[in-house]
Amino acid sequence: MAIFSIPTSKDIYLEINGTPIAVAQSYRATTSRESQAIEAFGSVEPVGTLAGRVKHTIQLTRVYVIQPADPIDFYALSDFNLVIVKPDRKIIYSQCQWSDIGEVANLNEMVIQNVTIVAAKRIEIR
């Protein structure tokens, strides 16, 4: 009987230089690719397509900073990794930049409600 574990907040984290800086409760990842149709003169339909750039967009919810001794300014954060540990593999989004930050927190809490990041690369390690 195989035992599957559901990823928790310790399994979804942001890191800089291999050091975790924050964890997230959940994520939603989408990958899109720009493509272009190749048209031939006189043809009604395209004769092919060209693959374009790939864009990885990840939305994180309930992001919690885990290193309060060294304050982290999310608004100045750039070129970081997002690591998602699953039971059978690890997904690493690298060269990340944030594109949207929504903050909701009580006094003295270090919680950022929503962060949307864009990653240059996606790697799966099994």
Side-chain angles (χ1 to χ4, degrees):
M1 179 173 142
I3 298 174
F4 293 101
S5 63
I6 297 171
T8 62
S9 61
K10 70 177 182 170
D11 300 322
I12 306 166
Y13 58 93
L14 301 174
E15 68 176 13
I16 295 178
N17 298 326
T19 303
I21 59 167
V23 294
Q25 180 179 1
S26 63
Y27 75 96
R28 179 175 180 244
T30 57
T31 299
S32 59
R33 172 179 275 173
E34 297 174 7
S35 59
Q36 183 177 8
I38 301 171
E39 298 179 3
F41 183 74
S43 178
V44 177
E45 295 182 4
V47 294
T49 57
L50 284 175
R53 293 184 227 172
V54 175
K55 179 181 176 183
H56 306 285
T57 305
I58 306 96
Q59 297 172 336
L60 302 173
T61 56
R62 300 283 299 166
V63 178
Y64 180 75
V65 177
I66 57 175
Q67 284 193 333
D70 187 18
I72 295 168
D73 180 10
F74 267 84
Y75 298 95
L77 195 60
S78 66
D79 197 22
F80 56 92
N81 294 339
L82 168 66
V83 180
I84 302 167
V85 180
K86 295 193 172 196
D88 59 340
R89 67 190 182 278
K90 183 187 282 190
I91 301 170
I92 301 171
Y93 291 94
S94 61
Q95 299 176 0
C96 296
Q97 303 289 334
W98 66 268
S99 65
D100 186 50
I101 298 175
E103 195 170 342
V104 178
N106 294 324
L107 188 62
N108 294 324
E109 278 189 356
M110 302 197 67
V111 174
I112 296 176
Q113 189 64 26
N114 299 306
V115 177
T116 302
I117 61 174
V118 178
K121 297 180 183 178
R122 180 184 185 275
I123 302 166
E124 274 193 40
I125 301 171
R126 293 199 179 259

